Each structure stands twice: as structure tokens, then as C-alpha cells.
Amino acid sequence: MLTHRTVRDVMTRDVVRVAPATGFRAIVELLHAYGITAVPVVDDADRPVGIVSEADLLRTQSAQEDPTALQPPPAGGPDRAGAATAQQLMTSPAVCVAPGATVVAAARLMAGRHIKRLPVVDGEGRLVGLVSRGDLLKAFLRDDRAIRQDIVEEVLGHVAGVSPAAVGVEVAQGRVVLSGTIEAPHLVPIVLRLCRSVDGVVSVTDRTGRTPEPMTLITHPEQHRNAEVRHGNHA
């Protein structure tokens, strides 16, 4: 059965996190030391309550007084002037995802909320990982041979009325080209849709066709009788 990879498969497990009381400078030092761009803020039970990102820190920095600046402080949004702790800096509440969610579900959640990362929490809401947009894109690094195998075995092999031996599958850089024969026209859109749902597939090109049905010449009975008369006269 065709299934997507899950958040558990791609998430970062060793997550750097901070407490609500962690100071501005300590957060900057953590981001620099670990080469990361954000940290979850967790409570005493290790449950995410927000996230502090570089963007949050920069908003606070941009709100500082600067008599020599050509641009005024940005208008709108929360007043971050004087924000000095993770609790004051963070974006909250934290939008989280379960480790068993598919990478597709996580990508849709990120896109819908316009966010770059999701804390991953267990059934009790405790932090067990972090998944970023870059983590989700790892699905497109799958080997072409693995993609082809999924299409042959999990797609073509499970659609009733489609013969895997009759359909050619070529995969290059995640781009799939189908050739050969799919007898029933109504099955073509189904096969294409399932192929596009395989992790790592970038595009699907359909070059399949149908086996032409043998032509049957149907004549009127009167034509047969006339032909027989002419044949008898000739004899």
C-alpha cells in the first residue's frame, strides 16, 4: 500500500530549546553556536508554548532607538521594544504537529500558517522533535530507482485493470515518464494521480496509449446474397 513518509522520518530529534525566562543574548548565542535559526520555548513539562526565531529577534532590534537611522521603526505588529526574554520575544501559541503526521500534512500546515518550522509533540504534548521546511524537502532527494520501484509495485501493481508489464516507467531527477499501454482510458487519470502522490516525484508525463481494437467489417445481409448470386452466375 502506498504511504507517505512521516514527520518522524525526517524531523530533527535533538532539539535545542529554551525556557520562557531565557534572555535575549543567551538565545542569540544558542542560535550562533548550533547554526540554527529558531528555538522552541517550553514550559516546565517540556511542552512548547512558543518559538523564538531570528525574525523575532530582529523585530526587537529594529524597534530600538536610532537617531541616525533613515527608516522609522516598522509599524504594526506587537510592540517588541524592550523585549528581553524568550517569553516576551516568542511567537505564540506554538503550532505543533504529531510525529505520525505525513510530510504532506506537515507541508500543508506550514503553507497554510505561513511558518517555517513545526515543533513535534507526543501524545502528551511534550517536545520530541522539530521539523523544518528543509526537512520536508528531503523527500525530493529520494533515489530515482526507489521512486520507480514504488510506482511499479505500489501504483501499477495495485490498480485493477493495469498491467505493470505493459507500462514503461522512466524516472530522472524525480521526473516520471510513463509509456506503453493502459487499456482502459478511465484508469489513466487514476494512475497519474497516484504517481504524483509518490514521495520524491516532481512531475509525471503521460505517454501511454491504448491497443487498437481489431476492425470488424459489418455488411448488410442483402450484400451477402448479391455476392452469392454473382458468384453462382460466374460459375
Side-chain angles (χ1 to χ4, degrees):
M1 179 180 178
L2 184 65
T3 58
H4 288 291
R5 300 177 77 185
T6 65
V7 169
R8 184 183 292 106
D9 297 327
V10 299
M11 70 182 187
T12 298
R13 297 177 184 273
D14 297 326
V15 183
V16 179
R17 67 258 277 168
V18 298
T22 304
F24 187 109
R25 181 165 178 171
I27 296 172
V28 174
E29 289 173 344
L30 284 172
L31 298 185
H32 177 72
Y34 287 93
I36 54 180
T37 59
V39 286
V41 184
V42 298
D43 62 16
D44 293 339
D46 207 26
R47 295 185 177 94
V49 295
I51 288 185
V52 177
S53 67
E54 289 178 331
D56 295 316
L57 297 170
L58 286 174
R59 276 195 289 270
T60 298
Q61 185 178 29
S62 67
Q64 294 178 321
E65 294 293 333
D66 184 6
T68 66
L70 299 178
Q71 296 290 333
D79 182 8
R80 297 296 179 89
T85 66
Q87 187 167 17
Q88 296 168 333
L89 294 160
M90 68 184 183
T91 298
S92 64
V95 180
C96 303
V97 68
T102 67
V103 292
V104 174
R108 290 176 179 174
L109 183 56
M110 284 188 192
R113 297 295 189 94
H114 304 287
I115 52 181
K116 297 180 179 180
R117 61 195 64 82
L118 296 167
V120 186
V121 296
D122 62 16
E124 297 182 0
R126 294 174 301 195
L127 185 67
V128 295
L130 188 73
V131 64
S132 68
R133 295 188 297 191
D135 293 326
L136 298 181
L137 291 175
K138 291 176 184 177
F140 292 99
L141 298 178
R142 292 190 71 203
D143 184 80
D144 287 336
R145 289 171 296 181
I147 295 174
R148 184 184 184 279
Q149 182 176 355
D150 276 357
I151 291 175
V152 173
E153 296 180 0
E154 304 298 333
V155 176
L156 301 179
H158 283 78
V159 177
V162 174
S163 170
V167 181
V169 181
E170 297 179 13
V171 184
Q173 295 291 304
R175 297 188 295 269
V176 178
V177 178
L178 301 180
S179 58
T181 303
I182 297 179
E183 293 287 353
H186 72 277
L187 294 179
V188 174
I190 297 174
V191 170
L192 298 181
R193 176 174 56 81
L194 291 175
C195 286
R196 293 188 186 101
S197 70
V198 173
D199 286 337
V201 169
V202 176
S203 64
V204 180
T205 300
D206 176 30
R207 293 179 181 166
T208 61
R210 294 184 62 205
T211 302
E213 296 182 1
M215 293 183 61
T216 302
L217 180 62
I218 301 177
T219 58
H220 192 276
E222 187 66 26
Q223 293 177 302
H224 286 287
R225 285 194 295 270
N226 291 341
E228 291 173 357
V229 171
R230 288 195 298 271
H231 179 73
N233 291 340
H234 179 74

